[in-house]
Amino acid sequence: MYGNGKVKRVLPLNGQRPTTEGMDIAVIGTGHVGLPTCVTLGALGHTVTGLDEDAQKIELLQAGSVPFFEPGLEELLCQGISQGRLTFSVDAETALPGKDVVFICVGTPAREDGSANLLAVETAARTVARFATGPVVVVEKSTVPAGTAHWVRRALAQERPDIRFQVVSNPEFLREGQAIEDSLHPDRILVGADSLAAFEKMRQLYAPLLSEGYQLIETDIETAELSKHACNAFLAMKISFANALARICERAGADVTAVTRVMGADARIGHMFLAAGLGYGGYCFPKDLQAFHRLAAGLGYDFPLLEEVARINDEAVEAVVQKVEDALWNLENKRVTLLGLAFKPGTNDTRFSPALILARRLIEKKSHVVGYDPQVPDATSQVPGLEQAHDLYAAAEGADCVVLCTDWPEFRAIDLWRLRNIMAYPVFVDGRNLLDPEQMRAAGFTYYSTGRPVVQDYQFEIASAEAEGEQIVPQGRAT
Ligand code: NAD
């Protein structure tokens, strides 16, 4: 029995390639985590059945189509189906019997009090038990609070006292938009278990990755469960730190992108997740931070740092609302274009997207908000009053202000002259610091970014200077 939170073993197994036999696996929940899990386990040589209660999703998957945008997903899905390694079903009675390993990948949304709602995890565990025909390793891949495995084990035993189940925690660290890359080339594979047999089963399952040298970290179950919350909370904290810095830089006239470049060059800090902007969103960070906070409180430890991280994240959206207000004076009836609606680039996921939170705030203030996103076909049902265009320039036509909300790489290539000419006024708020201030100035924009000085277009500067009786020479221009 492994305990005391110690990491028991860090593999790779000295490079030797273990002999692997494909296992018969089921994955419950074929969403943003479950579906990449299905296709990558198929690609590793296992036979996988994806089970979901959403019949429409399963119908799509059976036809080889993906229900959401994720680079590389559709190719691996079609490959797995054509090799006979992947099947999908809504029927637990046919999908679950005879499986060696069942992954639970269902949602764990926040309850109103912030704690994780684990009803879908319980339902999945009871379903596994009902249809098990022999010993099964039940793997928690959903993000759950430390201690959940205990409840999973209890539910399994209540349903089927005649079967010996092993419960394993194997948290998922993939990033949406890079899910396949992350699953096939993981930074680490984390397995928490309490029996040698369960560890051995998971080593066999991941043997093709271990033989390539990917790191396996083995711990007790509570440590594995808690590690996932710790990682997400820490990453969210880095983002909020950068955003708090941005607020100070704006007041001090400093440049947050330079400050974070200096910080990130320190190997102890690192560059990733230090970008100031509209803040984090998506299905994981907001709810995981709350769930971790609730878990800590339930264990008798007050962890106010986590609340502060969330507060600074909310403030990041308010800071952009304030910039739009500073730029436009009155927001009523102004046309504001939002570039990017997904919570980050590489995905069409809009769950808890800062762009949609911003849209709601601007609509509350009576602006006319038009969104555009290269991958989100229609977010209008999520934000009453939001209009959506299917072309960037159509979205910006006649706009009083454009706000860049998601740092899609293609927004770097915006034709600034064209944009400027179709807008009512050339005002641009960059919520991701994606664009270059000097290029924006040269293209004639008044440019507000995050944690960097406001850039006024030349004409505005000249007009203001003339009003002050001064003479100014635009930077980069010969006298
Ligand atoms: P999702 O909403 O995209 O997918 C969940 C799927 O589970 C849905 O298709 C739903 O229909 C299905 N489902 C729910 N209850 C079911 C049941 N009883 N039987 C069968 N199917 C059922 O959610 P997701 O983004 O894939 O997240 C799943 C879990 O993974 C969460 O705990 C999340 O925190 C965690 N996670 C998510 C990410 C991410 O980037 N999205 C990354 C790491 C971990």
Side-chain angles (χ1 to χ4, degrees), residues 247 250 277 314-324 326 429:
R247 303 287 85 79
E250 282 162 5
D314 294 343
E315 187 183 79
V317 173
E318 287 311 309
V320 172
V321 173
Q322 187 59 56
K323 278 172 193 150
V324 178
D326 287 349
V429 177

Side-chain angles (χ1 to χ4, degrees), residues 28 104 120-130 138 152 155-156 159:
I28 304 184
I104 297 180
V121 173
E122 179 185 346
T123 306
R126 291 189 188 278
T127 309
V128 175
R130 271 178 215 139
V138 180
V152 170
L156 292 165
E159 294 295 327

Side-chain angles (χ1 to χ4, degrees), residues 52-64:
D52 204 292
E53 61 185 12
D54 181 340
Q56 244 183 335
K57 194 178 271 186
I58 290 297
E59 224 172 276
L60 264 180
L61 292 169
Q62 286 168 336

